[in-house]
Amino acid sequence: MHKAKVAVLISGGGTNMAALLYASRAPQCPFEIVLVASNNPEAGGLKLAAAEGVPTYALPHKGMARADHDMAMDAAIRASGAEYVALAGYMRILTAEFVSGWAGRMVNIHPSLLPKYKGLHTHERAIEAGDSHGGVTVHLVTPELDDGPILGQTPVAIIPGDTAESLAGRVLFAEHQLYARCLAELVTRPYRADWLLARVSQLAAALPEAEARESHGSPAWSIKGGKFFAYFSDRHHGEPHIALLVKTSGQDEMNALIDADPDAWFRPAYYGASGWAGLILNRADVDWDQVSDWLARSWRAVAPKKLTKLMDAADQF
């Protein structure tokens, strides 16, 4: 099983880092912690990580421009081989450049039920508002503070007489449970048929007159009332691949694609004889622009001229 490599950024004791670390030690956990980094060399979480054999990195931010500090942290993360970044009490606002470099692969945990109570003092604000529940949210990180797509939430009841401290203590239990589950779900997305199919479906549906149809019990897409232009293969005929089957110009082009990049392309059973090539989706670092381009190209190969003329006209603007 592929284990995604994760770097964790902390500024203090690192209890959520510890929860992720110990969750990663389970045999079936799909991620491993390859680096714990901090802007605070005295952070207690660094000592725990080192004791557990995890590489650490510390760089004080005082006296450094924010962009320079972020650049140095980013370099350390990339040198570790990390594929994802988890913020776990990292008390720094990150530059847009840093965040953009990890788009879709950086997560944060926030002690409120977002979009409520972004920023600090979340427990006090929930109690003062008379809410029945506080809680915790795991979300993807975007340049906007506490504003990325939500991956998961756990509500935590507010008990009469609660203080910010007592509520925070119970929310912390929920944080430790939720973070590992959400991170595991995120890192397995690129290898799961349901997520890959949903993403391909979204791209295919954007093409003119495209409709989803089944073909021999499998998802596929066609021009309305016309020919198929793409098929979704989930390890069909004993193949190890989850793939998108697209129409090439013939055997020569299909073979050239496979020869040039055998990790991305293969000759599918049955369909390969007709020049349909398999673009492998269950692999790291899929180029989704390439997937989109091949869907459009395959669509053009079967679409009637009246539709391709409309597409050509639209491409000019």
Side-chain angles (χ1 to χ4, degrees), residues 81-239:
E83 302 163 275
Y84 294 84
V85 178
L87 307 181
Y90 188 61
M91 305 305 290
R92 296 276 293 164
I93 295 176
L94 301 172
T95 58
E97 291 75 17
F98 187 7
V99 172
S100 297
W102 293 93
R105 296 181 293 140
M106 181 183 287
V107 292
N108 184 44
I109 188 161
H110 183 74
S112 79
L113 296 175
L114 292 174
K116 283 187 171 183
Y117 314 128
K118 297 177 182 181
L120 302 175
H121 310 298
T122 59
H123 306 305
E124 292 96 329
R125 292 155 70 190
I127 292 170
E128 289 171 2
D131 292 351
S132 64
H133 287 74
V136 57
T137 301
V138 176
H139 65 96
L140 291 174
V141 177
T142 60
E144 190 72 25
L145 180 66
D146 299 331
D147 197 49
I150 291 172
L151 301 179
Q153 292 184 313
T154 300
V156 176
I158 297 176
I159 299 171
D162 254 339
T163 63
E165 291 73 22
S166 63
L167 177 57
R170 291 197 307 284
V171 169
L172 193 60
F173 288 123
E175 291 180 27
H176 294 170
Q177 296 293 317
L178 183 66
Y179 210 174
R181 291 202 303 270
C182 290
L183 183 57
E185 190 277 337
L186 176 66
V187 303
T188 56
R189 279 181 180 180
Y191 307 96
R192 292 202 330 261
D194 62 334
W195 188 81
L196 293 168
L197 175 58
R199 186 148 189 187
V200 171
S201 296
Q202 186 178 31
L203 294 174
L207 294 166
E209 298 293 314
E211 65 176 356
R213 291 168 54 192
E214 280 196 356
S215 174
H216 302 289
S218 298
W221 298 270
S222 68
I223 308 295
K224 287 182 180 178
K227 297 179 179 180
F228 286 100
F229 65 87
Y231 302 89
F232 186 82
S233 174
D234 183 4
R235 301 182 178 91
H236 286 176
H237 309 296
E239 293 160 343

Side-chain angles (χ1 to χ4, degrees), residues 19-33:
L20 293 176
L21 173 60
Y22 293 126
S24 75
R25 299 285 167 85
Q28 297 305 311
C29 183
F31 62 82
E32 61 179 322
I33 308 303

